Amino acid sequence: MTAPPASGPPASGPPASGPPASGPDDHAADASGPDTSGPPAALRIVVADDQASIREGLAIMLDLLPGIEVVATAADGEEALVQAEQHHPDAVLMDLHMPRMDGVEATRRLAAEHPAIAVVVLTTYVDDASVLTALRAGARSYLTKDADRADIAAALHAARSGLAVLDPRARGALLAGAGAAPPGGTPAPSGPPPDGLTAREAEVLALVADGLSNQEIGAALFLSGNTVKTHINRIFAKTGCRDRVAAANYARRHGVAGPAS
């Protein structure tokens, strides 16, 4: 009679060779790769002003601020163009009244030849003609020389992002020149705006009548481009106007804006 096979644990051999099993965490670590994130590149600036003490003082002040590098200075508009061509800055801090070529003409040339370079005007002049001329030449923002360094830095960073900053006094002069009321002032026309226009729509309409573009209106009223478009579309709907010329004529007929100059 044959005996049954002996029971017991199976014989163990050497462990199977091969790579260890990997879990989801291992794959996540492999896929992440090295961390290449870092601080954003410094904002590169050219300072243009004909007064050496102001020009050098601005350059020193801005160079001390984190995230800003002054790559060159210029004593007039012609030199600002040369420095912009050579250094390709993100922005130019531009005085308006300079010899040889003033800031307005330099801004116009920069806007045409180097549209990626933002111009921030820094000047002592706050009359509506100076503000409007600079904005129409292509300036992104308009500050006065009593602005502090935080305001100047904020305007420069905003300009690189495509945003406009307008000094409150310059904004008031622009609105007053357009026939609209400055902040805290009294509306130009007596009584409520016609045809159900809101006070803000009346402000926008007055600036349209003065020939301002949507960008200039946005800078004057601290509105985005989309918000300006929305206001203008509502103005057209409420007044029955089909274009900006008709809207300007409507504004003058109803006293929302002054007579055409």
Side-chain angles (χ1 to χ4, degrees):
M1 182 173 178
T2 306
S7 62
S12 60
S17 61
S22 60
D25 290 341
D26 297 319
H27 289 295
D30 292 339
S32 63
D35 184 7
T36 58
S37 63
L43 186 69
R44 304 174 73 251
I45 302 298
V46 169
V47 176
D49 197 295
D50 62 321
Q51 297 185 47
S53 59
I54 294 177
R55 182 174 67 249
E56 293 167 5
L58 285 170
I60 293 171
M61 177 189 74
L62 292 173
D63 246 345
L64 293 174
L65 296 177
I68 292 181
E69 177 189 1
V70 177
V71 296
T73 62
D76 55 55
E78 285 189 10
E79 193 174 345
L81 292 175
V82 171
Q83 299 291 10
E85 178 69 32
Q86 180 176 348
H87 295 281
H88 302 286
D90 297 300
V92 175
L93 189 62
M94 185 82 75
D95 187 22
L96 280 188
H97 296 275
M98 296 183 289
R100 294 206 298 172
M101 180 187 293
D102 65 14
V104 172
E105 180 59 26
T107 297
R108 189 176 290 112
R109 291 273 301 274
L110 282 171
E113 299 170 15
H114 304 282
I117 300 177
V119 174
V120 174
V121 169
L122 184 67
T123 182
T124 57
Y125 298 89
V126 290
D127 58 285
D128 63 305
S130 294
V131 178
L132 189 56
T133 301
L135 292 177
R136 285 180 171 169
R140 188 74 50 81
S141 298
Y142 195 105
L143 299 177
T144 57
K145 286 185 176 178
D146 58 0
D148 61 29
R149 63 180 183 176
D151 289 336
I152 296 173
L156 289 168
H157 283 289
R160 179 168 67 172
S161 303
L163 303 176
V165 176
L166 203 60
D167 181 273
R169 289 190 298 161
R171 178 184 177 226
L174 187 60
L175 291 174
T186 305
S190 59
D195 291 323
L197 294 174
T198 65
R200 175 62 86 190
E201 288 165 354
E203 283 185 320
V204 172
L205 179 56
L207 296 177
V208 168
D210 202 50
L212 272 68
S213 67
N214 285 7
Q215 178 184 345
E216 292 163 352
I217 293 171
L221 300 178
F222 297 103
L223 301 175
S224 69
N226 287 335
T227 301
V228 173
K229 289 180 183 177
T230 299
H231 282 310
I232 291 176
N233 287 335
R234 288 175 179 168
I235 289 167
F236 286 175
K238 290 180 179 181
T239 62
C241 296
R242 301 182 63 179
D243 55 37
R244 297 173 88 95
V245 173
N249 291 332
Y250 173 94
R252 296 185 183 103
R253 287 197 311 270
H254 291 82
V256 177
S261 56

